[in-house]
C-alpha cells in the first residue's frame, strides 16, 4: 500500500493447481494489491490468464509493474492523473 500496510489472504484450497484464473480489481494505482494477488495465485499453483480493472492510473505505473510480471492487464479506463 502507498500509505500503510495490509494483508491479502486466500484460502489454501481456493485455487487448484493448474487452474486458469482471472484476477479482477476495481482499480490499478501502484499495483500493490494486484501484485499481491498474483503472488498468491501463483503460489497456489494457479495460472493467471488475465487481470482486469475498471480504472488504471497510468501516472503511478502499477499497470507497468503488473505487465512486467507477465500478467496481461485489461482496463476499461485509463487516467494520467490530470483529471
Amino acid at each position: 500500500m502507498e500509505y500503510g500496510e495490509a494483508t491479502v489472504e486466500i484460502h489454501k484450497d481456493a485455487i487448484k493447481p493448474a487452474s486458469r484464473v482471472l484476477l479482477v480489481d476495481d482499480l490499478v494505482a501502484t499495483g500493490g494489491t494486484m501484485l499481491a494477488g498474483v503472488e498468491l495465485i501463483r503460489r497456489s499453483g494457479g495460472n493467471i490468464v488475465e487481470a482486469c480493472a475498471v480504472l488504471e492510473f497510468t501516472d503511478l505505473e502499477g499497470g507497468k509493474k503488473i505487465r512486467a510480471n507477465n500478467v496481461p492487464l485489461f482496463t476499461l479506463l485509463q487516467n494520467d492523473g490530470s483529471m
Side-chain angles (χ1 to χ4, degrees), residues 5-42:
E5 293 183 19
T7 301
V8 178
E9 298 178 353
I10 188 171
H11 199 275
K12 64 182 175 182
D13 64 356
I15 298 173
K16 295 178 182 161
S19 293
R20 293 169 46 89
V21 179
L22 171 64
L23 180 59
V24 180
D25 202 348
D26 57 347
L27 66 91
V28 177
T30 61
T33 303
M34 196 168 273
L35 287 170
V38 167
E39 184 175 343
L40 287 173
I41 292 165
R42 288 181 173 162

Side-chain angles (χ1 to χ4, degrees), residues 6-80:
T7 301
V8 178
E9 298 178 353
I10 188 171
H11 199 275
K12 64 182 175 182
D13 64 356
I15 298 173
K16 295 178 182 161
S19 293
R20 293 169 46 89
V21 179
L22 171 64
L23 180 59
V24 180
D25 202 348
D26 57 347
L27 66 91
V28 177
T30 61
T33 303
M34 196 168 273
L35 287 170
V38 167
E39 184 175 343
L40 287 173
I41 292 165
R42 288 181 173 162
R43 281 186 186 182
S44 299
N47 298 316
I48 302 169
V49 175
E50 189 163 13
C52 64
V54 175
L55 177 61
E56 176 183 357
F57 291 113
T58 56
D59 58 321
L60 297 177
E61 299 192 356
K64 286 182 182 179
K65 293 176 187 175
I66 293 162
R67 292 178 184 99
N69 274 274
N70 297 315
V71 177
L73 175 63
F74 171 80
T75 56
L76 291 173
L77 303 166
Q78 298 79 37
N79 181 274
D80 64 5

